[in-house]
Amino acid sequence: MPDYQISGLGPIPVAVECKRRLGLSSYELAEAKQVEELYNAIRPQLHEQGIHGSIEASFSVPLRAVALQEFIAQVLAAVGHFRDQEPAPTPWGSLAFRRLEYFGRIPATRLYSPDYLQRIFDWSTLQDEWDGLLCEVETPLAITVDTFRMPLCLKWRSESEEALTKKARGVTSLWANAVKQIPEGELGFVYIAYPEGARAALADARTRHILRAASEWWHRWSVQVPGTVIIRLYPRALGPGCPDLIESSLPGASKGQEFWLTKLPYRVFTGQVRSGS
């Protein structure tokens, strides 16, 4: 059965089916796990040498192809000069190192809050350069902090052709599952929502894939699906950790069915409230 049914739009019953993908795709989760393993392997030696700074790695090959010992050797070589190192080519991509203050004071905030990450690691919630961040400081005595000591982080992005392709997919299967639940002989409108936390290059690649795929989607002859709304959700935190949500909708209609777009709501999670005069 569909999630909603609408009456009054015409002689044919109308169904609305909604699907939402929760969290990251399995490919993105696997990438994050592989980066974590690389970082955990190098941490003890970085702590032993008293390194405080930002390691910035760009991977041009799939992360599973990065040799652990090779990664460790190249990071140690980059940080061993104890000065900033501009991006240098490696067999798996490129690597840079930027020093961070050993100790400093900041306005009071929560540990690892967006404010904290911005001030210490130059990491903005709206940054569009990196896929992920692994970071740490010397453990403070409380969750509310106004100082930091020994900051260390790994900023990373995955730019292999495989990674870009895999991350661009994932919505079409949700659409197919939604159409299966539209009853025989009815019109169906499909809403698909998914969290989009990737940098702009990946988010745009995913949107382009959706637009290309939408023109090729097909379904059984006994139902009609004149309209689909794809909803990109950007959940994030601001300041000391206040929640925020951006909703970006991409409506689409079958050829000749564009008039339905004037009847469908686009935003599901957010909206503007206008006060009366």
Side-chain angles (χ1 to χ4, degrees), residues 202-218:
L202 293 178
D204 291 345
R206 186 145 33 201
T207 299
R208 288 193 297 270
H209 172 76
I210 293 170
L211 291 172
R212 288 195 303 269
S215 64
E216 302 172 356
W217 288 342
W218 60 275

Side-chain angles (χ1 to χ4, degrees), residues 174-192:
L174 292 178
W175 188 88
N177 290 336
V179 171
K180 290 178 182 177
Q181 295 181 252
I182 298 173
E184 301 288 337
E186 294 194 9
L187 284 175
F189 297 102
V190 175
Y191 285 77
I192 296 174

Side-chain angles (χ1 to χ4, degrees), residues 176-249:
N177 290 336
V179 171
K180 290 178 182 177
Q181 295 181 252
I182 298 173
E184 301 288 337
E186 294 194 9
L187 284 175
F189 297 102
V190 175
Y191 285 77
I192 296 174
Y194 67 93
E196 181 60 271
R199 53 192 167 89
L202 293 178
D204 291 345
R206 186 145 33 201
T207 299
R208 288 193 297 270
H209 172 76
I210 293 170
L211 291 172
R212 288 195 303 269
S215 64
E216 302 172 356
W217 288 342
W218 60 275
H219 52 79
R220 67 192 190 278
W221 66 269
S222 56
V223 300
Q224 297 184 52
V225 186
T228 297
V229 179
I230 306 295
I231 303 167
R232 301 197 305 189
L233 302 174
Y234 296 83
R236 59 177 184 161
L238 300 174
C242 301
D244 185 44
L245 175 69
I246 296 174
E247 179 183 13
S248 174
S249 297

Side-chain angles (χ1 to χ4, degrees), residues 13-252:
V14 176
V16 176
E17 182 61 35
C18 307
K19 294 292 181 185
R20 183 180 179 185
R21 195 188 74 191
L22 300 176
L24 300 174
S25 68
S26 57
Y27 187 89
E28 290 167 317
L29 290 172
E31 272 198 333
K33 182 65 175 178
Q34 288 158 346
V35 174
E36 183 181 3
E37 291 172 355
L38 293 174
Y39 182 70
N40 286 337
I42 192 66
R43 282 182 67 239
Q45 296 176 68
L46 296 176
H47 286 306
E48 184 178 330
Q49 296 182 30
I51 299 297
H52 48 94
S54 174
I55 302 163
E56 301 176 356
S58 177
F59 300 98
S60 59
V61 302
L63 273 154
R64 63 177 182 278
V66 179
L68 180 60
Q69 294 305 317
E70 186 176 61
F71 178 80
I72 291 174
Q74 285 152 354
V75 170
L76 291 178
V79 304
H81 300 286
F82 294 94
R83 62 175 183 269
D84 291 355
Q85 298 290 310
E86 293 302 313
T90 68
W92 40 262
S94 67
L95 182 68
F97 176 70
R98 310 199 185 281
R99 293 169 297 169
L100 298 174
E101 289 184 274
Y102 173 77
F103 173 83
R105 292 188 176 277
I106 58 174
T109 187
R110 291 189 178 94
L111 181 66
Y112 300 126
S113 68
D115 281 347
Y116 190 89
L117 298 180
Q118 174 72 59
R119 292 178 180 275
I120 299 172
F121 300 104
D122 191 25
W123 180 269
S124 169
T125 55
L126 294 178
Q127 66 83 32
D128 61 359
E129 185 177 1
W130 304 102
D131 289 341
L133 170 73
L134 292 168
C135 64
E136 60 181 298
V137 294
E138 185 176 281
T139 305
L141 298 177
I143 194 68
T144 300
V145 293
D146 57 8
T147 63
F148 65 90
R149 187 186 302 270
M150 282 290 290
L152 179 64
C153 75
L154 170 62
K155 297 177 181 178
W156 64 276
R157 61 174 170 262
S158 178
E159 298 184 303
S160 71
E161 189 65 31
E162 175 188 292
L164 294 176
T165 301
K166 293 280 189 180
K167 293 175 184 179
R169 298 172 180 169
V171 174
T172 52
S173 60
L174 292 178
W175 188 88
N177 290 336
V179 171
K180 290 178 182 177
Q181 295 181 252
I182 298 173
E184 301 288 337
E186 294 194 9
L187 284 175
F189 297 102
V190 175
Y191 285 77
I192 296 174
Y194 67 93
E196 181 60 271
R199 53 192 167 89
L202 293 178
D204 291 345
R206 186 145 33 201
T207 299
R208 288 193 297 270
H209 172 76
I210 293 170
L211 291 172
R212 288 195 303 269
S215 64
E216 302 172 356
W217 288 342
W218 60 275
H219 52 79
R220 67 192 190 278
W221 66 269
S222 56
V223 300
Q224 297 184 52
V225 186
T228 297
V229 179
I230 306 295
I231 303 167
R232 301 197 305 189
L233 302 174
Y234 296 83
R236 59 177 184 161
L238 300 174
C242 301
D244 185 44
L245 175 69
I246 296 174
E247 179 183 13
S248 174
S249 297
L250 177 69

